[in-house]
Amino acid sequence: MQERFQVVLKRRLQLEIQNRPPLFPWESQLVEYPEFVEDPGIALIPAWGWLAQQSQLSLPIPLPDKVFQHLVDRCQSLVTSCIPLGPKLIQVVADMFPDEEQLISDLAGLVLRRSYRSVSTLETLPSIDKDYSKLQPRQQMALSLIAAKQLLESLTLSISLSNPVLEQQWQSYGGTLSIQAQLLSMGATMKLCVYGELPTPATFTIQGNGTSVTAFSREGHKASLELNCPRANQTYVLAVEFPQAETQPLLLAINVTI
C-alpha cells in the first residue's frame, strides 16, 4: 500500500510540474530560453536587470517587481536634479498615488527625519501585512518613500577633496557592479577618476560640464576613465551600459564639490 501511495504521489507531482512549471524569481510567466548560449551570464539577464538591487535595501517587506522597477526608473530620472531630496521623494511616488500629494508630502517629511529613517517605524504601524498589496495606502506610501530615499542615496556619489574616494555597489542578475570614484587635485584644476568592476562587458560614459568621456571594459570586465574638471561644484552623470545584455543602462550622479 505504501509503495502504491508513493507511485501515485510521484505521478501527481510530475503532472503538476508539467502543467505548472516552476518559475525563476525574476519571471512572472514562462519564458523560453535558447538551448545554447555563448555566455550564459549575459544571455540570461532579464530585460530589466536591476531587480536584484532590492536585496540591498533595508525594508520590512519586499516590494512587488513592478513597484520597485517604477521607483528605480523615477529615481534615475531625478537623481541629477538640483531640487532638494524632499521634493524628489514626492515626485518619485506621486504618480503611484494620484490625488494624495498632501499625504505624500507629510510622509516624505517624516521619512527625512532621523527618527523615521529606520524601517523600525514602519514595522510598528498597526496591522502591517507581509504582502505589499494588502497594506493600507498610507503604509504603501511610507514604504515606497523609504525605498525611494535609499535608492536615491545609492545612485548618488558625493565626492570632494576632503572626502576624495567613494565606492558604491549595485546588484544585477548578472552579478555585482562595483564603482569607485576618486578626486585628485591638479593645481588649478581637478581630475575625476572612475573605476569599475563589472559582471559582464560594459561601457562607462561620464558626462558633465560640456564634456563626455567613454571607456570600454577590458580583461576581467574592468573599466576606468578620467575627466579633467574645474575647481567648481559640478554634477556629472555616469552611465553604465551592458551592450550584450538586454538591460537598461544604470545612471548615477557624481556630485563634485570643492
Side-chain angles (χ1 to χ4, degrees):
M1 179 64 69
Q2 184 176 0
E3 291 182 357
R4 175 172 175 77
F5 173 77
Q6 292 177 346
V7 171
V8 172
L9 180 60
K10 181 178 179 180
R11 185 177 302 169
R12 179 170 297 180
L13 289 174
Q14 289 175 337
L15 291 174
E16 181 69 17
I17 293 174
Q18 290 176 358
N19 295 331
R20 300 178 59 184
L23 302 177
F24 288 107
W26 61 80
E27 294 179 327
S28 58
Q29 60 184 5
L30 287 179
V31 177
E32 292 293 334
Y33 295 108
E35 294 183 1
F36 172 80
V37 292
E38 295 183 0
D39 188 345
I42 296 175
L44 298 186
I45 296 177
W48 200 87
W50 302 109
L51 292 174
Q53 178 65 15
Q54 184 172 179
S55 64
Q56 304 303 303
L57 302 187
S58 179
L59 300 175
I61 64 173
L63 297 169
D65 288 352
K66 288 185 177 180
V67 173
F68 183 73
Q69 177 178 343
H70 174 85
L71 292 176
V72 175
D73 289 343
R74 292 292 293 142
C75 286
Q76 288 203 104
S77 69
L78 293 167
V79 70
T80 59
S81 171
C82 61
I83 63 176
L85 180 57
K88 278 185 184 179
L89 294 179
I90 296 172
Q91 290 188 30
V92 169
V93 305
D95 57 348
M96 298 170 59
F97 306 97
D99 304 321
E100 294 289 353
E101 184 172 347
Q102 185 57 54
L103 180 54
I104 294 173
S105 178
D106 294 341
L107 289 173
L110 292 174
V111 169
L112 292 176
R113 293 180 186 174
R114 185 174 301 276
S115 61
Y116 202 93
R117 291 178 183 179
S118 171
V119 297
S120 61
T121 303
L122 184 63
E123 291 174 328
T124 59
L125 292 177
S127 303
I128 186 168
D129 199 285
K130 294 302 181 182
D131 187 339
Y132 177 89
S133 64
K134 295 180 181 178
L135 296 179
Q136 297 296 320
R138 181 185 178 92
Q139 294 174 321
Q140 291 183 347
M141 292 178 202
L143 183 61
S144 299
L145 286 165
I146 292 173
K149 181 178 180 295
Q150 294 181 32
L151 286 171
L152 285 170
E153 291 173 343
S154 65
L155 288 168
T156 304
L157 290 83
S158 297
I159 193 170
S160 65
L161 291 177
S162 60
N163 187 29
V165 180
L166 286 177
E167 296 184 0
Q168 186 62 275
Q169 289 187 338
W170 260 73
Q171 299 296 322
S172 76
Y173 280 120
T176 302
L177 164 65
S178 299
I179 299 171
Q180 182 188 86
Q182 183 176 9
L183 188 63
L184 304 175
S185 176
M186 306 292 292
T189 62
M190 299 183 294
K191 178 179 289 185
L192 176 62
C193 307
V194 181
Y195 310 95
E197 294 187 10
L198 311 144
T200 63
T203 62
F204 266 25
T205 301
I206 190 167
Q207 295 179 329
N209 198 35
T211 60
S212 177
V213 179
T214 299
F216 300 90
S217 60
R218 302 187 301 273
E219 294 182 7
H221 303 318
K222 295 184 178 181
S224 64
L225 53 79
E226 298 180 351
L227 180 68
N228 292 324
C229 50
R231 282 184 172 270
N233 296 339
Q234 181 73 38
T235 297
Y236 296 88
V237 180
L238 175 66
V240 184
E241 186 172 7
F242 302 104
Q244 299 181 36
E246 294 183 357
T247 189
Q248 66 185 49
L250 183 68
L251 304 179
L252 300 100
I254 302 179
N255 296 329
V256 176
T257 58
I258 57 176

